[in-house]
Amino acid sequence: MHLYKKWTEGNGLTELGLDSCDVDSPRNGLLLYLPIEKAFDNQSVCFLYNPLTEKFSLKVLDPELKPQKIDDLSITWQEFEQGPSNCLSLPGHGPDKPMPFRRILSLHALYAYVHARDQGWDPPPFSPYVYIPDGGSLRDLRSDHRAAR
């Protein structure tokens, strides 16, 4: 799955300090279990990065999703979110295992949070880090995101 959608042809990546060709980078992708990928695409969940542990965790934002079983797994979304298995060690630390673009995951987390708030899901406060280089603005990124829907 592409983190920053392939159909964009990389337009807008420069706002994040990346090149448009980075849309094809291995760092712009994650291999996810299909139910997690769908929930990610629907902004029902997001990934938060902990720089101290250098791991990602899944944050479930949709309260209706929490009590549901994750497809054929024997646990619910809430159990997964709260359990010790929710420390995802995503690829990283070496040229053959590139770390996903954290700034794209952080931007997705921000959009997912705004989406959750707009849906009335009452998400808990969190502050994903979003790197915006000189010349870019979060307002521009939000308007670009809403226009792309």
Side-chain angles (χ1 to χ4, degrees):
M1 169 194 80
H2 282 84
L3 299 175
Y4 199 88
K5 300 302 177 194
K6 175 85 171 153
W7 62 264
T8 67
E9 298 179 350
N11 291 327
L13 280 175
T14 54
E15 298 283 335
L16 294 171
L18 300 169
D19 294 323
S20 60
C21 64
D22 286 325
V23 76
D24 293 319
S25 168
R27 295 185 64 199
N28 186 37
L30 286 177
L31 185 59
L32 296 173
Y33 184 54
L34 188 58
I36 296 174
E37 180 180 342
K38 286 181 180 179
F40 179 87
D41 283 345
N42 293 333
Q43 297 179 338
S44 296
V45 303
C46 63
F47 292 101
L48 301 177
Y49 181 70
N50 182 334
L52 298 175
T53 63
E54 297 183 337
K55 294 187 182 200
F56 293 84
S57 61
L58 182 80
K59 183 72 184 156
V60 180
L61 299 170
D62 181 350
E64 291 183 15
L65 196 61
K66 288 186 177 198
Q68 297 177 22
K69 296 271 188 209
I70 302 176
D71 259 8
D72 56 347
L73 299 180
S74 61
I75 62 171
T76 65
W77 287 91
Q78 185 168 2
E79 291 167 338
F80 182 81
E81 178 185 38
Q82 294 174 346
S85 61
N86 189 20
C87 287
L88 306 173
S89 215
L90 298 178
H93 308 293
D96 58 332
K97 296 180 180 180
M99 173 77 76
F101 286 124
R102 289 170 294 204
R103 60 188 85 171
I104 295 175
L105 285 171
S106 291
L107 185 62
H108 176 274
L110 175 67
Y111 290 149
Y113 180 83
V114 170
H115 174 74
R117 192 185 62 213
D118 291 349
Q119 294 296 314
W121 293 343
D122 194 28
F126 64 90
S127 180
Y129 168 76
V130 180
Y131 169 79
I132 301 173
D134 293 340
S137 78
L138 191 54
R139 186 184 74 251
D140 295 340
L141 293 172
R142 283 187 179 154
S143 61
D144 289 348
H145 171 71
R146 292 185 195 281
R149 285 187 182 188

